[in-house]
Amino acid sequence: MITLDINGKPHQIDLPEDTPLLWALRDYLGLTGTKYGCGMALCGACTVHLDGKPVRACVTPVSAATGKKVVTIEAIDQDATGKKVQEAWLTLGVPQCGYCQPGQIMAATALLKQKSKPTDADIDAAMSGNICRCGTYTRIRAAIKQAAGTTEVKP
């Protein structure tokens, strides 16, 4: 039995230690906001925060999350930066199909927590591992800048 701190609450997980965190979140705990995309840490759909850093839950074993704080999209609005990011996403209508958006929001929030006024290059670097098959990258960049309080031309 493993105890994980997920979204500020302890959860007892009875799964093998090598089980990907994604499956513990989705299948064991019912936190389905974190999406399965590629299963190889290539697309970013499964991005969650582990002690404030973005990680790919599809390749992170639950044992790696023991003793750390896991934050998922379900609780990102409890963080001031995460709330700003979500508000900017809604204001600018960033999602198209929406599948990748939880991972995009988690990555954007991690970026802004690390660098409050990111440059375009910072945004490109931080978001490069998050793929959007709908191509909403222009709106994603605009939303990050809006959440950061920097000027951006609306897409």
Side-chain angles (χ1 to χ4, degrees), residues 70-81:
V70 178
V71 176
T72 70
I73 191 69
E74 285 87 353
I76 200 66
D77 67 334
Q78 295 172 18
D79 174 272
T81 303

Side-chain angles (χ1 to χ4, degrees), residues 1-129:
M1 190 74 75
I2 297 171
T3 301
L4 297 179
D5 180 335
I6 300 171
N7 298 333
K9 296 178 183 166
H11 293 272
Q12 297 288 317
I13 309 285
D14 189 15
L15 293 170
E17 292 187 355
D18 62 346
T19 302
L21 180 59
L22 177 64
W23 302 128
L25 294 171
R26 289 185 59 83
D27 294 349
Y28 197 84
L29 298 172
L31 297 170
T32 58
T34 305
K35 304 300 183 200
Y36 173 78
C38 65
M40 298 182 290
L42 299 173
C43 72
C46 66
T47 303
V48 298
H49 292 177
L50 195 60
D51 278 349
K53 297 190 169 131
V55 298
R56 305 299 192 238
C58 69
V59 296
T60 302
V62 291
S63 60
T66 304
K68 298 180 179 176
K69 294 184 182 305
V70 178
V71 176
T72 70
I73 191 69
E74 285 87 353
I76 200 66
D77 67 334
Q78 295 172 18
D79 174 272
T81 303
K83 188 173 180 94
K84 282 183 187 176
V85 170
Q86 283 189 318
E87 289 171 353
W89 243 249
L90 291 171
T91 299
L92 296 177
V94 172
Q96 190 163 323
C97 85
Y99 194 83
C100 70
Q101 298 305 309
Q104 302 278 2
I105 289 170
M106 297 303 288
T109 300
L111 166 64
L112 292 176
K113 289 180 81 62
Q114 188 176 47
K115 195 160 204 165
S116 63
K117 303 290 183 198
T119 64
D120 286 348
D122 295 330
I123 294 170
D124 289 346
M127 303 303 290
S128 66

